[in-house]
Amino acid sequence: MISILQWVVLGVCLLCTAWRLPALRSGHNRGLFWIFALASIAVALSIPSIYLPVDKLLGEHNLANVIVRLSLFAVFFLLASRVAAAYKSPTALKLIRGPLGLLVLAASTVGILITFLLSEVEGSSPGLTRFGDQPTVAAYMWIGLSYTAYAAAILVPATAKTALSAGYALVDRSAAACLSMGFFLVCITLVLKLAPLPVGSLVQLLSFGSILFVAAGMSLVWFSFIRRPAQQ
């Protein structure tokens, strides 16, 4: 089931990337293209049948996993900035693009690189599962979740507020609900990681499910945007 969901999520991300390609060429709203393109890279490299040959080309040092982590950091920075602005939440925008947000992003990025360099990870291993007993790898995995969870937690209140408000059109509330659920699932994933239970499959399910919700939410946001001129 997890494997099927991985390929479904990758297909959705690739379709969304292709959908935004004309906008990239025209120079209009390029941010969405890069969000979906980077998400496609992260999802693709989370699939073992893609990860292994790519990492082999990179020398079988698991550099592909670093690409996944950094791609997700970029996705969440771009996405959180756009969502905070779209839902008129200056507090959320400040926490993402202000000094604190940039400090968390920089610290997470440096932490990823340092812990990776300090780890013995020779030989390709999707998710670094073969090296989980190393303290530096454990730290690497936690840091990899830190920034995405930080950004997601900031966006849950702003999107949930719109989803529950009767003052917005149904499509806007649906978009906000999808985004809020996606960000909430990212936070739940971190909580489950803390639990001393074998929840690996559930974490994967929630991780890819969160991407589907966010992709659906962003698509609905854009649909709402393009239909407004026709209604005016």
Side-chain angles (χ1 to χ4, degrees), residues 19-224:
W19 165 55
R20 298 305 305 154
L21 190 56
L24 176 70
R25 292 173 176 169
S26 66
H28 178 66
N29 209 353
R30 294 175 174 174
L32 276 178
F33 171 84
W34 290 113
I35 288 171
F36 288 126
L38 290 168
S40 297
I41 292 172
V43 172
L45 291 177
S46 298
I47 300 174
S49 59
I50 297 177
Y51 180 94
L52 291 173
V54 170
D55 197 61
K56 185 176 182 179
L57 290 174
L58 297 174
E60 296 186 311
H61 301 300
N62 289 293
L63 290 174
N65 195 278
V66 178
I67 294 174
V68 171
R69 302 294 172 179
L70 297 183
S71 294
L72 286 175
F73 285 178
V75 166
F76 271 80
F77 176 75
L78 294 172
L79 179 62
S81 298
R82 296 183 68 83
V83 171
Y87 287 95
K88 298 179 175 61
S89 176
T91 300
L93 190 60
K94 183 178 180 180
L95 288 172
I96 294 297
R97 305 196 68 162
L100 178 59
L102 295 178
L103 177 61
V104 174
L105 176 57
S108 299
T109 301
V110 172
I112 279 289
L113 297 176
I114 291 176
T115 52
F116 180 80
L117 292 173
L118 292 175
S119 302
E120 296 291 336
V121 289
E122 293 299 317
S124 298
S125 176
L128 302 184
T129 54
R130 286 170 46 195
F131 314 105
D133 58 341
Q134 295 183 39
T136 51
V137 172
Y140 170 89
M141 302 300 287
W142 281 110
I143 295 171
L145 290 171
S146 62
Y147 182 72
T148 55
Y150 170 83
I154 288 170
L155 295 174
V156 169
T159 50
K161 180 180 178 181
T162 299
L164 297 173
S165 175
Y168 292 89
L170 179 60
V171 65
D172 295 318
R173 293 173 64 189
S174 298
C178 286
L179 289 170
S180 185
M181 178 57 72
F183 297 136
F184 178 71
L185 290 180
V186 173
C187 297
I188 290 298
T189 298
L190 180 61
V191 173
L192 287 175
K193 281 280 191 179
L194 289 169
L197 299 170
V199 292
S201 296
L202 180 58
V203 166
Q204 281 190 306
L205 183 65
L206 293 179
S207 295
F208 287 103
S210 68
I211 296 174
L212 283 178
F213 274 111
V214 170
M218 293 302 292
S219 299
L220 286 172
V221 167
W222 183 246
F223 175 73
S224 175

